[in-house]
């Protein structure tokens, strides 16, 4: 990653920080800095005009030689004490806190605490409001901003493909994120929840450009801190195809029926189960001898109209009756004979990842059934709006259709360390 992007990220993070804490002056706000390649604590301390000791103390650093790229450091207020250790520190008001409750927590009298902060003992506090207390009165260094040690963000993404963002923290933090305004769901990568990940599905028709990823977490003091990255999206290099629909096929369809079917299927696609049922790469949902007849992402024009549609799945040409397999463990969410999609099955693999199978002649699973990789879920057919027997296989994450074949090649769920 280029240094310039990091600088921008820091500026934006600071801007967001200031927006999040109304009523604070800029110079009172703790600043943060994200470590980039080549940084040392000495260089960072110099840059911000603080002593090395202050920087180490503010971040609870035990081994100054082990700085990690992407690590977020708290930049303390310069010159806070002769020995580098400030004599007073901040505690932050939690929702519902009063002078009395904070005084009790920090072992002071309410009068003392109020006086040292220039407040009345009855002052109304806002959540996140900083209060000066003697350093010794702070029970333990609060994990305010330094809880997140690393955020791994893809250098670039590709139309119709899936990336992941991995967040490492010193403790289990509550994370939320948006990718181009789409809310993401974080899943734990280890038992302690110190490593978490979320998928970054890229819509196939999104214009190649840079889009924002924003990751927020709730600090120990109940504050939300956000950081943002611009991630470039490259073109997927998909083919184009003109489809001439026979007039009788299209005429059979009642638009209201098509709409109702889409609404029903989309509601199922939006499911987000907060666990993953499967591990490792997916397997093919059909015998390897059946070729792809139409890959994911192909731009489509119907009857020479504009290329405003695309193929949301992968088609395999196979005769009616060929078995269709479950590509990864999951739970069956939908089994139905639909007008457009024909014999349809949707499987929830957890974590917002779902797969769909259309045009089946027969279905051998039931809604709510737990299925394992390799199980037969049904048979290839030519039901619904289909011009010949084939399997349409679709994979969606948070409702966004992405290339299912990527799931065969890569274990997109990052494996737990150790
Ligand atoms: Zn298809």
């Amino acid at each position: 990653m280029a240094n310039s992007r990091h600088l921008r990220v820091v500026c934006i993070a600071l801007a967001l920080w200031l927006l999040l804490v109304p009523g604070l002056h800029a110079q009172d706000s703790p600043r943060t800095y994200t470590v980039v390649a080549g940084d040392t604590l000495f260089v960072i301390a110099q840059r911000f005009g603080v002593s090395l000791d202050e920087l180490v103390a503010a971040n609870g650093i035990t081994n100054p030689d082990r700085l990690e790229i992407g690590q977020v450091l708290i930049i303390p207020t310069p010159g806070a004490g002769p020995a580098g250790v400030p004599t007073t520190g901040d505690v932050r008001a939690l929702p519902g806190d009063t002078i009395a409750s904070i005084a009790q927590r920090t072992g002071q009298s309410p009068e003392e605490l109020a006086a040292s902060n220039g407040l009345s003992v009855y002052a109304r506090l806002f959540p996140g409001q900083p209060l000066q207390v003697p350093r010794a009165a702070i029970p333990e260094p609060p994990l305010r901003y330094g809880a997140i040690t690393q955020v791994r963000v893809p250098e670039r993404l590709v139309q119709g493909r899936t990336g992941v963002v991995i967040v490492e923290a010193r403790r289990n933090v509550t994370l939320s994120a948006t990718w181009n305004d789409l809310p993401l769901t974080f899943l734990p990568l280890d038992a302690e929840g110190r490593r978490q990940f979320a998928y970054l599905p890229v819509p196939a028709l999104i214009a190649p450009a840079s889009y924002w990823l924003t990751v927020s977490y709730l600090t120990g003091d109940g504050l939300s801190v956000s950081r943002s990255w611009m991630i470039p999206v490259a073109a997927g290099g998909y083919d184009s195809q003109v489809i001439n629909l026979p007039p009788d096929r299209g005429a059979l369809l009642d638009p209201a029926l098509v709409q109702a079917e889409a609404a029903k299927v989309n509601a199922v696609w939006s499911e987000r189960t907060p666990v993953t049922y499967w591990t490792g790469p997916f397997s093919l949902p059909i015998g390897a001898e059946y070729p792809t007849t139409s890959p994911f992402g192909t731009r489509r024009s119907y009857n020479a109209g504009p290329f405003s549609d695309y193929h949301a799945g992968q088609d395999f040409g196979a005769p009616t009756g060929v078995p269709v397999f479950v590509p990864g463990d999951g739970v069956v969410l939908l089994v139905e004979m639909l007008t457009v999609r024909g014999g349809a099955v949707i499987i929830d693999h957890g974590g917002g990842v779902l797969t769909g199978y259309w045009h089946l002649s027969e279905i051998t699973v039931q809604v709510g059934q737990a299925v394992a990789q390799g199980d037969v879920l049904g048979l290839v057919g030519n039901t619904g709006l289909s011009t010949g027997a084939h399997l349409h296989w679709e994979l969606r994450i948070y409702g966004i259709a992405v290339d299912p074949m990527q799931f065969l090649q890569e274990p997109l769920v990052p494996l737990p360390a150790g």
Side-chain angles (χ1 to χ4, degrees):
M1 276 207 232
N3 281 11
S4 62
R5 198 193 317 162
H6 271 272
L7 289 174
R8 207 158 53 228
V9 164
V10 170
C11 295
I12 287 149
L14 285 174
L16 281 169
W17 163 250
L18 293 174
L19 283 175
L20 285 165
V21 188
L24 281 186
H25 298 297
Q27 66 265 31
D28 294 335
S29 311
R31 294 166 295 174
T32 61
Y33 173 74
T34 305
V35 175
V36 298
D39 269 344
T40 65
L41 278 177
F42 181 76
V43 166
I44 296 166
Q46 280 214 318
R47 186 176 310 158
F48 289 97
V50 298
S51 76
L52 195 56
D53 288 344
E54 284 172 328
L55 192 58
V56 168
N59 291 280
I61 292 168
T62 49
N63 182 356
D65 298 327
R66 274 207 59 208
L67 266 193
E68 286 178 348
I69 294 170
Q71 186 174 348
V72 178
L73 295 175
I74 302 164
I75 306 300
T77 309
V85 179
T87 54
T88 61
D90 278 351
V91 291
R92 299 263 166 180
L94 299 172
D97 255 343
T98 60
I99 290 285
S101 66
I102 294 175
Q104 195 187 13
R105 220 165 47 234
T106 55
Q108 294 173 281
S109 74
E111 291 74 20
E112 262 180 315
L113 178 65
S116 58
N117 285 278
L119 294 168
S120 147
V121 284
Y122 306 109
R124 277 168 62 123
L125 305 176
F126 61 85
Q129 183 167 346
L131 291 168
Q132 289 282 308
V133 296
R135 195 82 193 163
I138 302 176
E140 53 182 67
L143 282 169
R144 274 208 285 266
Y145 322 97
I148 290 183
T149 53
Q150 195 173 35
V151 180
R152 274 189 264 163
V153 172
E155 292 272 320
R156 69 194 262 281
L157 292 164
V158 180
Q159 284 177 326
R161 307 271 294 181
T162 305
V164 288
V165 50
I166 301 171
V167 179
E168 296 180 17
R170 294 200 179 88
R171 58 179 169 85
N172 183 354
V173 291
T174 304
L175 296 169
S176 60
T178 56
W179 157 236
N180 191 27
D181 295 332
L182 172 81
L184 309 180
T185 299
F186 277 92
L187 294 165
L189 276 173
D190 55 29
E192 297 82 37
R194 284 205 293 257
R195 296 177 76 230
Q196 301 180 56
F197 83 99
Y199 290 110
L200 298 169
V202 184
L205 289 179
I206 201 171
S210 290
Y211 297 91
W212 284 109
L213 167 69
T214 299
V215 177
S216 309
Y217 85 103
L218 218 51
T219 68
D221 297 343
L223 289 177
S224 177
V225 175
S226 295
R227 308 185 60 75
S228 295
W229 294 261
M230 278 285 248
I231 308 181
V233 170
Y238 299 111
D239 281 343
S240 299
Q241 184 184 21
V242 176
I243 294 177
N244 293 307
L245 282 180
D248 61 318
R249 278 270 174 181
L252 280 175
L253 296 174
D254 173 357
L257 211 74
V258 174
Q259 285 276 323
E261 178 179 319
K264 174 184 284 183
V265 172
N266 284 338
V268 175
W269 281 135
S270 64
E271 193 71 36
R272 296 185 186 204
T273 311
V275 292
T276 46
Y277 296 119
W278 89 103
T279 51
F282 277 13
S283 47
L284 269 174
I286 195 165
E289 64 270 38
Y290 301 106
T292 292
T293 50
S294 177
F296 170 87
T298 307
R299 271 53 175 147
R300 283 179 168 178
S301 141
Y302 292 100
N303 301 333
F307 286 92
S308 55
D309 200 5
Y310 74 104
H311 189 218
Q314 187 90 359
D315 284 355
F316 301 93
T320 293
V322 163
V324 176
F325 306 110
V326 173
D329 296 1
V331 173
V332 178
L333 271 196
L334 177 137
V335 169
E336 204 160 328
M337 191 55 72
L338 298 169
T339 308
V340 177
R341 292 161 184 82
V345 171
I346 294 180
I347 296 174
D348 176 14
H349 301 280
V353 178
L354 286 83
T355 52
Y357 310 80
W358 313 152
H359 313 302
L360 303 171
S361 60
E362 240 181 85
I363 296 170
T364 53
V365 290
Q366 291 167 2
V367 171
Q369 186 180 333
V371 287
Q373 186 172 38
D375 285 355
V376 173
L377 64 88
L379 305 177
V380 170
N382 188 27
T383 54
L385 188 63
S386 170
T387 52
H390 75 284
L391 170 67
H392 171 103
W393 182 37
E394 191 161 323
L395 189 149
R396 289 191 183 232
I397 302 177
Y398 317 140
I400 292 175
V402 287
D403 186 354
M405 301 303 274
Q406 189 186 355
F407 274 67
L408 304 178
Q409 300 147 10
E410 306 166 23
L412 274 174
V413 181
L415 298 170

